[in-house]
Amino acid sequence: MRLFIAEKPSVAADIAKALGGNFIRKNGYFESSSAIVTNCIGHIIETQPPENYNPDYKAWSMNTLPLQLYPPKYQPKEATKGQVSTIIELLRRPDITEIVHAGDPDDEGQLLVDEVLSYAGNKKPVKRVLINDNTQPAVKKALTQLKDNSQFKGMMLKALARSVADEIYGYSLTRCYSILGREKGYKGVLSVGRVQTPVLGLVVRRYRENQSHTQSLYYSLTGNFISGTDTISARWKASEFAPVDSKKRLIDRKWADGLARTLAGKPASVLAAAVDTGKELAAPLPFNLLRLQQYVNQKHKITSQETMDITQVLKDTHKAITYNRSDCSYLPDDHHAAAPQLLDALQGLDMFSRLDLDSGRKSKAFNSKNVGAHHAIVPTGNIPDLSKLTEKERHVYLAIVIYYLAQFMPKKTFNEATAEIKCGEESFFVSARCVTHDGYTSLLGNDTESEEDGEPDNNPAFDLISRLRTGETLTCNDISIQENKTKPQPLYTESSLLAAMSRAADYVSDPEIKRLLKEKDKDKKDEHGGIGTPATRAAIIETLKKRNFITIEKGKIIPTETGIALIDALPPVAVNPDMTALWAEKQNAIEEGTLSVDAFIEQLYADIGGMIQNAGVDKIQINATPRQNDGQLNRLSAPCPNCGKDIIASAKLYACTGCDFKIWATVCGKKVSAPQAESLIKKGATGLIKGFISVKKETQFDAKLTLKNKATGELGFEFPPSEKS
């Protein structure tokens, strides 16, 4: 009898269904007369705490660094002890003669099941099934193509090396800098991580670029040309000798004025004019996790962690969407064959019943060659009752649905007229579009992540431009000069930080590190030299918040003094994505068998030892601000009334770490104390507060503050009888 071990319960159910036969559901597994199918629940075992490797590690001391945590010692996670016991009992059953490893087909999925087999001391032969697609035809096909699990040992060792190295690196440097910080009076934990710290580095650098920006002026030129009774406006393109900056922006006003005087009234000629008809624009691809997080953050202000949590509910509880942590935007070709039934089910929702959908249309999203371990996030045939979803759950679910439906809608079509005009030695360009069919934009609208270049649709100038002919003579009526002010680099939002994490190589100056990061993601369609994974990035942002390294103000990510001080204290190799790049190269060598995990870890110990030796208390410039025992920014004892997460206190406001709830720390000239804020959250009102200042009447008044809206933190006043009017 075979024992199949899947990575998650949903895959176990898919395997049992594909195997056929009369499976009986038991506690933690399915069993038939010929097979048993069980599952992990993600990682169900974990490494033991450092003191279990060496009792001396219980106390934080520079003398014990770097921590020697290899080879790893495992233990069941508290929440999954029961499932670990179930799997071990099944592995030891005498009627089980062969194991089938059914973890996800990536290195993390390989390690996840292999570490359980290792912990259980399994000696029975192991096969491997690679399930890229959870549709029944695809699962059945995969089950006929089992391989020997030993073929994937390199993949497992690669993931093992990364996992162990992350723990050694993170634990050791966190202890090092926390100890040094305490010598300066800082009572918190200065956490350091291979991914977490470079993300903080991105935030700090962007903040400093923003704050140090020196405003300057540049000028946009528009040529207004007369054609018969019409005037056509065209944008100037910088010529070779024009005084421009690195972004080709004109920076000399006198030069602009001189050009305007020179060209006014001069003849001009149309160097090239054309009308391109029947141009098409395909719908954007279905969502991967990153793009979904960005989309709902921009459109509905839903945080990346909330999106993670919501998609987990939609997948596990409602069975309404496919795997939610995917980094892929493509779908297997097999999915297209199942589309008619899914489209019929989705059109059962009134809002989609009249769409121009055709299951015969096959967009570029259906391409098995571009599908890795997982495919894009799409809806399933289990259509949830929308009235029973929360508002944010509806937003996320419907976003996934409409980007899937768009694959079966007509393309957007338009005609485009363009012209290049030469006046003197200067060139001017103009273009305009006329939409001939809205296509998928009738569902998605125009504010999508499509391939459009920002040219407005249905430009009134289209008819004028389309009548221009190559060689036609025009007259320059005048040159308009618009003065513009340079803007600083925008502070990161959650959406833009997620994007930066997916292409961290773009922010690296070292050419070798840049190359290694790009090489790491060469086979991934939606990653471009990134750090972290789609499944971990939201948690990294939340971790930076909770550790008082960043705050969110009006949707913008701001580093705290603690975060800035930590980045300044660390060496460049820790602050930049260098470790991810350097490790990726070595982990590939481990997978190929040209480097052992032992040798990689030994070199890591030496590298970390050098970093610790060069660290010093003089490099820690940090304010010894009183903290609570957890080392975090001061927190209220009352959790957020909207989402239940922690609320941090700053000089300006009390803000939730998980949603948009906030209470301003000063209301009508009166400071709201932490106990008063906690009373607002727990009881819905404060006691009587005296001395509020009315802005309109410029008088003082006494009142209780009340919490009017638990989702946003909107406040109101409750006046005592003598104050009412």
Side-chain angles (χ1 to χ4, degrees):
M1 182 179 286
R2 281 175 169 169
L3 171 64
F4 292 79
I5 305 177
E7 183 167 326
K8 53 184 88 69
S10 61
V11 177
D14 291 334
I15 292 172
K17 185 177 179 181
L19 288 170
N22 296 317
F23 274 93
I24 299 172
R25 190 183 190 103
K26 298 190 176 181
N27 186 21
Y29 61 98
F30 301 90
E31 183 169 2
S32 73
S33 59
S34 59
I36 295 176
V37 184
T38 188
N39 58 269
C40 301
I41 310 164
H43 285 277
I44 57 176
I45 63 173
E46 63 186 359
T47 52
Q48 296 180 24
E51 55 267 28
N52 286 14
Y53 292 77
N54 183 337
D56 292 342
Y57 292 169
K58 189 164 188 178
W60 288 28
S61 167
M62 296 290 279
N63 295 329
T64 59
L65 301 180
L67 302 182
Q68 309 284 309
L69 304 178
Y70 178 78
K73 295 182 179 181
Y74 291 113
Q75 64 184 20
K77 285 186 173 181
E78 187 64 36
T80 54
K81 278 184 176 179
Q83 189 64 8
V84 172
S85 296
T86 296
I87 293 175
I88 292 175
E89 289 173 9
L90 291 172
L91 286 166
R92 293 175 179 172
R93 274 178 47 166
D95 57 337
I96 298 295
T97 57
E98 186 175 70
I99 316 301
V100 180
H101 181 317
D104 286 352
D106 54 18
D107 56 12
E108 194 66 26
Q110 187 66 41
L111 174 64
L112 190 144
V113 176
D114 276 344
E115 64 187 5
V116 174
L117 295 174
S118 174
Y119 177 75
N122 176 64
K123 301 296 183 184
K124 295 176 182 179
V126 182
K127 297 291 187 183
R128 182 69 160 102
V129 61
L130 302 173
I131 300 174
N132 286 289
D133 175 4
N134 291 85
T135 60
Q136 278 298 294
V139 175
K140 289 178 179 179
K141 182 179 179 180
L143 290 171
T144 66
Q145 300 174 335
L146 300 184
K147 302 178 185 295
D148 195 283
N149 193 52
S150 62
Q151 296 178 32
F152 303 90
K153 183 177 180 181
M155 185 182 285
M156 180 276 290
L157 292 175
K158 174 183 179 182
L160 174 66
R162 182 175 61 244
S163 174
V164 172
D166 273 337
E167 287 206 335
I168 295 170
Y169 179 82
Y171 277 133
S172 299
L173 287 182
T174 294
R175 290 190 176 198
C176 170
Y177 281 87
S178 297
I179 291 167
L180 296 176
R182 289 170 187 175
E183 291 182 32
K184 281 290 188 79
Y186 184 73
K187 299 178 181 178
V189 174
L190 293 175
S191 174
V192 180
R194 174 179 60 89
V195 177
Q196 165 197 313
T197 305
V199 173
L200 177 60
L202 287 172
V203 172
V204 170
R205 284 194 295 277
R206 177 58 61 87
Y207 175 75
R208 283 176 162 160
E209 289 170 3
N210 178 278
Q211 296 300 298
S212 63
H213 173 71
T214 301
Q215 191 177 85
S216 59
L217 301 176
Y218 68 96
Y219 305 92
S220 302
L221 305 183
T222 302
N224 301 304
F225 300 95
I226 298 172
S227 174
T229 59
D230 300 320
T231 299
I232 296 172
S233 298
R235 60 187 180 276
W236 172 76
K237 180 182 179 182
S239 53
E240 182 180 358
F241 300 107
V244 296
D245 61 13
S246 59
K247 295 182 179 180
K248 299 292 185 182
R249 298 180 299 196
L250 183 63
I251 57 175
D252 189 325
R253 178 63 191 241
K254 289 183 179 180
W255 193 93
D257 290 336
L259 181 66
R261 287 193 301 270
T262 300
L263 298 185
K266 292 290 179 66
S269 62
V270 180
L271 287 185
V275 178
D276 199 352
T277 60
K279 294 188 74 172
E280 294 183 333
L281 195 65
L285 295 169
F287 285 119
N288 60 17
L289 178 58
L290 169 63
R291 290 173 42 243
L292 177 63
Q293 288 171 317
Q294 291 176 296
Y295 178 85
V296 296
N297 179 254
Q298 292 169 344
K299 203 167 186 67
H300 303 295
K301 307 303 180 188
I302 299 173
T303 69
S304 51
Q305 186 60 52
E306 284 178 312
T307 301
M308 276 288 301
D309 296 341
I310 288 168
T311 54
Q312 205 70 41
V313 170
L314 291 173
K315 179 178 77 73
D316 295 338
T317 304
H318 299 286
K319 313 291 184 186
I321 64 170
T322 57
Y323 183 70
N324 61 318
R325 300 183 178 212
S326 176
D327 61 357
C328 178
S329 295
Y330 291 87
L331 295 164
D333 293 309
D334 291 350
H335 264 244
H336 192 262
Q341 296 88 342
L342 180 52
L343 293 181
D344 286 344
L346 291 170
Q347 285 191 289
L349 297 172
D350 287 343
M351 66 185 75
F352 304 130
S353 61
R354 289 172 290 279
L355 292 177
D356 180 11
L357 298 173
D358 182 352
S359 61
R361 295 184 181 117
K362 189 174 183 181
S363 76
K364 61 184 178 182
F366 295 94
N367 188 337
S368 296
K369 293 179 181 178
N370 291 336
V371 176
H374 308 288
H375 58 66
I377 306 170
V378 296
T380 69
N382 294 322
I383 312 301
D385 183 345
L386 297 184
S387 67
K388 294 183 179 178
L389 301 181
T390 67
E391 181 182 17
K392 289 182 177 180
E393 286 171 347
R394 281 196 302 276
H395 285 320
V396 173
Y397 176 69
L398 291 176
I400 293 168
V401 169
I402 64 175
Y403 269 68
Y404 175 74
L405 292 176
Q407 309 309 311
F408 303 94
M409 295 190 69
K411 294 179 180 179
K412 174 181 176 178
T413 60
F414 58 93
N415 299 331
E416 186 171 41
T418 59
E420 178 182 355
I421 300 169
K422 190 73 174 288
C423 186
E425 297 300 318
E426 304 301 322
S427 296
F428 298 81
F429 292 84
V430 62
S431 63
R433 284 178 177 170
C434 177
V435 175
T436 54
H437 194 292
D438 288 333
Y440 71 87
T441 62
S442 63
L443 174 63
L444 299 189
N446 284 313
D447 59 335
T448 64
E449 30 169 61
S450 66
E451 299 166 5
E452 294 195 59
D453 58 9
E455 186 71 38
D457 290 333
N458 299 323
N459 190 324
F462 176 83
D463 288 339
L464 297 179
I465 300 167
S466 63
R467 291 198 295 269
L468 290 175
R469 296 293 178 264
T470 301
E472 183 177 346
T473 300
L474 309 175
T475 301
C476 178
N477 186 60
D478 59 26
I479 304 293
S480 302
I481 303 173
Q482 180 180 343
E483 184 176 274
N484 308 288
K485 295 178 180 178
T486 58
K487 296 179 180 179
Q489 281 273 40
L491 296 172
Y492 282 120
T493 61
E494 281 206 16
S495 174
S496 61
L497 183 57
L498 287 170
M501 292 165 73
S502 74
R503 51 191 326 126
D506 292 350
Y507 304 93
V508 172
S509 56
D510 185 311
E512 179 62 10
I513 297 299
K514 185 186 289 283
R515 182 191 69 78
L516 291 172
L517 285 171
K518 293 280 189 180
E519 181 72 14
K520 172 180 68 73
D521 291 342
K522 66 179 181 180
D523 296 325
K524 299 178 182 178
K525 293 290 183 182
D526 295 305
E527 295 286 318
H528 310 278
I531 50 175
T533 68
T536 61
R537 287 169 184 153
I540 288 166
I541 294 174
E542 290 303 310
T543 297
L544 292 174
K545 292 179 189 176
K546 290 178 180 178
R547 289 175 176 163
N548 184 32
F549 293 155
I550 63 172
T551 61
I552 310 294
E553 296 182 12
K554 297 182 179 180
K556 306 296 184 183
I557 299 177
I558 311 290
T560 63
E561 289 185 18
T562 304
I564 293 171
L566 178 59
I567 291 300
D568 288 344
L570 288 163
V573 70
V575 171
N576 297 308
D578 298 29
M579 298 302 290
T580 293
L582 296 169
W583 288 10
E585 184 178 46
K586 293 177 181 178
Q587 285 155 14
N588 286 337
I590 290 171
E591 184 175 14
E592 294 165 1
T594 58
L595 178 68
S596 69
V597 177
D598 291 34
F600 170 65
I601 297 299
E602 282 303 314
Q603 183 60 53
L604 178 67
Y605 286 144
D607 293 342
I608 296 175
M611 295 170 70
I612 291 170
Q613 188 174 0
N614 291 325
V617 69
D618 58 308
K619 296 179 181 179
I620 303 287
Q621 302 298 326
I622 193 163
N623 290 330
T625 308
R627 306 283 174 186
Q628 293 185 350
N629 291 335
D630 62 0
Q632 311 302 324
L633 189 67
N634 290 331
R635 279 168 162 69
L636 298 185
S637 62
C640 174
N642 184 42
C643 72
K645 298 284 182 67
D646 288 350
I647 294 177
I648 58 173
S650 69
K652 293 183 178 179
L653 76 166
Y654 302 97
C656 178
T657 58
C659 68
D660 294 333
F661 178 87
K662 61 178 176 290
I663 297 172
W664 292 104
T666 302
V667 178
C668 290
K670 195 70 178 176
K671 188 74 174 176
V672 179
S673 67
Q676 288 168 336
E678 289 172 350
S679 179
L680 270 170
I681 294 165
K682 291 178 179 177
K683 302 176 182 178
T686 66
L688 186 67
I689 299 175
K690 296 184 178 181
F692 288 115
I693 300 173
S694 171
V695 176
K696 291 183 178 179
K697 298 181 181 180
E698 297 184 353
T699 56
Q700 290 191 353
F701 64 93
D702 304 337
K704 294 180 179 180
L705 277 178
T706 61
L707 183 59
K708 293 175 64 177
N709 189 321
K710 291 183 178 181
T712 64
E714 180 184 357
L715 302 179
F717 294 103
E718 181 181 316
F719 296 97
S722 60
E723 294 281 339
K724 293 180 180 179
S725 57

